[in-house]
Amino acid sequence: MNNFKGSCKIVICLIFLLFGLTDNYAQKHELGKVTIEELKEKKHPIDTAAVAAVLFNKGKVNFEFNGSSFLLIIEVEMKIKIYKKEGYQWGNEKIPFFVGSSSKESVEFSNAVTYNLVNGQIEKTKAKSDNEFLEDVNKSFTVKKISMPNVKEGSIIEYKYTIKTPFISNFRDWQFQRKIPVNYSEITTDIPEYLVYNVYRKGSLPIAETQDKISKFVTFDKDRTSWKYREELKRNPYRHDIDQVSYLDYRTIYSLENIPALKDETFVNNINNYASILEHELSGIKYLDASYETFSTTWEEIAKSINDSEYFGDQLNKTSYFEDDIKAVLEGKVSDEDKINAIFKFVQSRMSWNKYYSYSSYDGVKKAYQDKVGNTADINLMLVSMLRFANLDANPVLVSTRRNGISLFPSRSAFDVVIASVLVNGELVLMDATSKFSSPKIVPIRDLNWFGRLIKKEGTSEMIDLMPKSTSLDVVNVVASIDDKGQITGKVRDQYLDYNALQYRENLEKQTQEQIIEKIEKKQNQLEVEEFELVNNQDNESVVEKYTIKTTSSSEVIGGKIYFSPMVLFAMSENPFKQESREYPVDFSFPFKNKFTSTIQIPEGYEVESLPKSIAIAMDMKYGTFNYTITNLNSQIQLSVVLEINTPIIPPDDYDILKEFYKIIVEKESEKIVLKKI
C-alpha cells in the first residue's frame, strides 16, 4: 500500500479536481423498481439452468474533496433474481477494504432489500444492522459482509454499497461477467483531465463504450495557506483573488448486456482470468504548470519497491533471532541438499500458517518466529533468511496465487504471496513452508500460477516460470486371479509421488481411513476392500496404499464364456472432456504420468479366446502419449498401461486434439478379455 500512500499525498495537491455524479440511470435499471412479473419468473429466459441471475449491476466513480485531500468514491448498485436454492449464496456479498495505516478505506451498504411474492402481493424485507458483519482478514485488510434476509426461491434482492478510499490508484476492477448470467452491467467513470488512467479490457466479450467531455469547476475560499493559492501566486504574484479553477471532465460509460455465465469447465485455473473485466491503472498526473508525473512502472520497479519496504527487504536482513537454532540444525550437514532439507523441515515443523496471504511481514519475522505462527510472508521470508545464513544462494519469489489470478499490468496488487527459492547445482528449487505437506521442489498447487518474480539481494529481479517441468507419478500394480465364476481376487499397490502425493496428503487431512476405503469401494458395485495399509512417507515424497480386493463387477459370465476387464477397477470410465468446444485453457496443474500394470491368472480349464489389441498413440504438439500393451503368457494376462501428459497447460485451440485423445483412452480401457473353456 506504500504507493497508495504516495498517491494520497499527491491527491492533496489536486484540490482543483471535483467529480460530479452521473444520473443517467434508465428507469428499468433503478433500485426499488421490482414488478410482480419479475417475481413470478421461474427461470432465466436465456439460461434456463441458471440458479440465479444479475438483473442489473451499475457502478459510478467520482472524487470528492474532503477538506485536505480527495476521496475516490465507488458506488455500486446490484439487483439479483434467485431461481433455485443453489442460488441462495448470491444473497451474500463481501467487500474487502484497507485499514492498515492512518489513511483508511471504508465500505457502507445501503438500500438492502429482499422482495418476495406473497399471496399475489410484493413483500419487502429490509436488511438490518445484524445482517452486516465485519471480519478481519489480517492487520491490513478487513472484509465487510452482508447476508440478505428472507431469501427464497423466486426472491429478488437489491443493495447498494459505497467504497471510499484516499488511494486514487486503487481503482477497483469492474466485473461484467460472473458465474451466473448478467442481464445488464454498466460502469460510468468521470476522469478529470489532470488524471491519466490506462484502461485494460479482459475477456472476449465486446464492451460498448461512449465518451463525453464536461466542463467543471471547483470553488475555493481565499485561504492564503492553501496549496492552490501558493502555486497560483508563484505564476502571478499580483493575483490574490482566485476562487475558481475550471477543468474538463472525461466521462466514459462502459456497458454490456445479455452476458452469459462463465462456463464451468473441467481443469480450469481461476475462471476470472477469462471473464470480461475492466481494469484501470493510474498512469500519471498532469499539473497546472504543464508538468507531468508518471506512475506507470515496470515489473522491475514494482519488485524493487516491494524489496525496499521495511515489511519485506528489511525482514530478510534479520538473523539474530534464529542463529543459534539454525547452527544446531546445520550441525553435521555437508551437502547443499542436506542443508536445504534440514532448514526447510525445521521451518515447516516449527511454524504454523495463519491462513493469511501476503508478501509483507507486518508484525515482523522475529515476532512470528517467537509466536510460531505467521502469514505467508512471515514464514517464507524467514526461510529465505535462514537459507542465506547457511551460505546458500536463496531469494524470495513474488507470486500471484491461483485465487488472485493473473494481472495484465505491473502493480503491487498483482502479487499476493511470497515463496522461497534456492539455486543448487544449476537448478532453481522453489519452496513454500506454509504447507505441512509440501517439500523442496513441491510447492502448494495454489502457487503454480504461470510466472513469478524472483528478487535478488541487490534488488534486481527477473521473471521465472512457476510451472513444474518434471512429471508426477501415480503407479498402480495389481496381482490377481479370476475364477470360473468371474470373481477377481488380488492385491493392489498404489503409489503416489511428488504432486500426486501432495494432493493425497491434503485430502488425507480431511478423511479417515474408513472414508478412503469407502471411496475405493464406490468405484464398483460388489467390491470388497480388506487388509488396507497406508504408508505415508514424506521423507521420500511418496504415499502408498496397499490392500486386497474381491469383486465380480469387472466381469460377466455369459454362455460359458468369461468377459472381464484387465484394468479391474482402474479403467477410465468416462471422458472428462465432454463439451463440444472449449473457451479456456485446460490446466492440469502439473505434468503427470499414470502407470498401471496388472498380472491376472486365468482359471484352470479356460483359455484366451480374444485379447484387446496393443496400441501406442501420441497427441500432436507432443502434449501427451498413451501406451497400452497386453500379452498372454502361460495362462497369465499381463497388461501395461501408461498415460503421460507432458505439459500442465493445453490451449483451447487444441481442445479437439485432447478430447479425441481421451476418447481413445476410454474406449481402449473399456475393452474386455474373453475366456472360453478348453
Side-chain angles (χ1 to χ4, degrees), residues 480-497:
S481 62
I482 183 168
D483 64 20
D484 57 0
K485 295 181 177 60
Q487 179 171 275
I488 297 176
T489 306
K491 295 182 178 295
V492 176
R493 185 180 190 274
D494 194 349
Q495 182 180 21
Y496 305 85
L497 294 101

Side-chain angles (χ1 to χ4, degrees), residues 115 178 273 418 497 548:
Y115 298 87
R178 300 169 183 266
N273 287 330
V418 59
L497 294 101
T548 62

Side-chain angles (χ1 to χ4, degrees), residues 60 62 72-77 95 105-111 144 160-165:
K60 296 188 291 184
N62 72 295
L72 168 59
I73 300 178
I74 305 165
E75 295 182 327
V76 178
E77 295 182 349
I95 310 296
E105 297 180 322
S106 67
V107 174
E108 295 295 333
F109 283 100
S110 61
N111 302 91
K144 191 157 195 178
K160 175 181 178 180
Y161 63 84
T162 302
I163 303 171
K164 294 185 178 181
T165 173

